[in-house]
Amino acid sequence: MLIKSIPSWIVKENHATPEDVYLNRRTLMKGVTAGVAAGAIGGAAIGGAAIAQEGRAPMEAVRNEAYELDRELTPEEVNLRYNNFYEFGSHKRIWANANENLVSRPWQVEIGGLVNNPMTLDVDELIRKVGGLEERLYRLRCVEAWSMTVPWIGFSFATLASLAEPLGSAKYLRMETFGDPKMGNGIASQPWYPWPYVESITMDEVANELAFLVVGAYGRQVPNSMGAPIRMHLPWKYGFKSIKSIVKFTFVEERPVGFWEEISKGREYGFWANVNPEVPHPRWSQATERVLHTGERVPTLIYNGYGEQVAYMYAGLEDQPLFM
Ligand SMILES: Nc1nc2c(c(=O)[nH]1)N[C@H]1C(S)=C(S)[C@@H](COP(=O)(O)O)O[C@H]1N2
Ligand SMILES: [Mo]
């Protein structure tokens, strides 16, 4: 299977990230100091020992101007401290716990299954292989009816696929989060969940221009609470699809069963989970969403507003529960 690694719509002009737009001086200074300490000057590939929350090295990326937001960016401080990351507990304030216990570097990533080029490599080596990161401003809509906007840094899933060269028999990409209960104490304290967290997407979705692998946010390495060192973001699907802290990518033929899909046993959301304001959760409406930090509630859009780029993939699949 051949996938173009550089999408044709990629930005023509090179814009540096205007960090001052969303970084307050305090976090900026912390990041700069730590970046210098880590020897991270002018490059995305940063190695070294475990990097704590404060030590997130700056990342260079070219903003892709194709993605504009209809609302303000969620401030970094807000995003950092309002998360879903069950490996560290089932409440929103897992920040300090993830910050302290997630050792996100060094971090091995395994890419395999039905591919020509299986590989196991350090996340920073993967970033080097990708050769150039993009910044994209994306909305994120959680199934719990809150939303935020994030300046993610990363690369397309198509780029990952072009490195791995999936075979024609590959139908899905399965992703897995770390499962070490010593690192994620929520794993140990909540043994009833089907760890490790697993998610998957179709090969059409892998090839879609919006499908993004995130290694940075707000101008630096992605923070622990947001899924360091590598997570996905599919902005047209409910947030739970966007698996954090990935250790393993496997191209497979059979559709994997996701973490939440397994828990809900058909009662709630499953594989597709595309955003649709007209399809309510069994216990609440999805018609509107609370935009974090703004005090506003706004109408939710079908495919979270990204229908133009994604709806074609679901034509002919109307018999499937595309929005559950
Ligand atoms: N491994 C893992 N990935 C995960 C989750 C999780 O609990 N564990 N929560 C999901 C949910 S429900 C949402 S809404 C987003 C939240 O991402 P954020 O905390 O960066 O906002 O991560 C998703 N990815
Ligand atoms: Mo979520």
Side-chain angles (χ1 to χ4, degrees), residues 264 267-269 280-286 324:
S264 100
R267 291 185 300 262
E268 295 183 9
Y269 293 84
H281 181 277
R283 284 172 281 131
W284 59 83
S285 164
Q286 297 289 21
M324 281 304 278

Side-chain angles (χ1 to χ4, degrees), residues 79 82-87 140 142 146 148 152 177 197 225-226 231 239-240 242-244 260:
N79 196 341
Y82 191 91
N83 308 95
N84 276 332
F85 203 165
Y86 274 57
E87 285 81 350
L140 184 154
C142 176
W146 54 266
M148 61 183 176
W152 294 121
T177 300
Y197 201 103
S225 60
M226 294 185 213
R231 67 169 290 171
F240 74 85
S242 289
I243 182 170
K244 295 172 155 180
W260 287 113

Side-chain angles (χ1 to χ4, degrees), residues 79-80 82-90 92 94 140-144 146 148 150 152 176-178 195-199 222-227 231-233 238-246 259-260 292:
N79 196 341
L80 271 171
Y82 191 91
N83 308 95
N84 276 332
F85 203 165
Y86 274 57
E87 285 81 350
F88 294 98
S90 56
K92 292 286 172 294
I94 55 80
L140 184 154
R141 170 62 157 81
C142 176
V143 86
E144 300 160 333
W146 54 266
M148 61 183 176
V150 194
W152 294 121
E176 196 179 296
T177 300
F178 72 87
W195 310 106
Y197 201 103
V198 167
E199 260 307 335
V222 69
N224 283 359
S225 60
M226 294 185 213
R231 67 169 290 171
M232 88 159 156
H233 187 56
Y238 288 115
F240 74 85
K241 290 290 297 184
S242 289
I243 182 170
K244 295 172 155 180
S245 301
I246 302 168
F259 180 81
W260 287 113
L292 284 194

Side-chain angles (χ1 to χ4, degrees), residues 285-308:
S285 164
Q286 297 289 21
T288 62
E289 64 204 54
R290 182 170 61 85
V291 184
L292 284 194
H293 190 64
T294 64
E296 277 175 38
R297 198 162 256 287
V298 303
T300 288
L301 304 171
I302 186 147
Y303 294 112
N304 202 20
Y306 296 96
E308 205 184 307

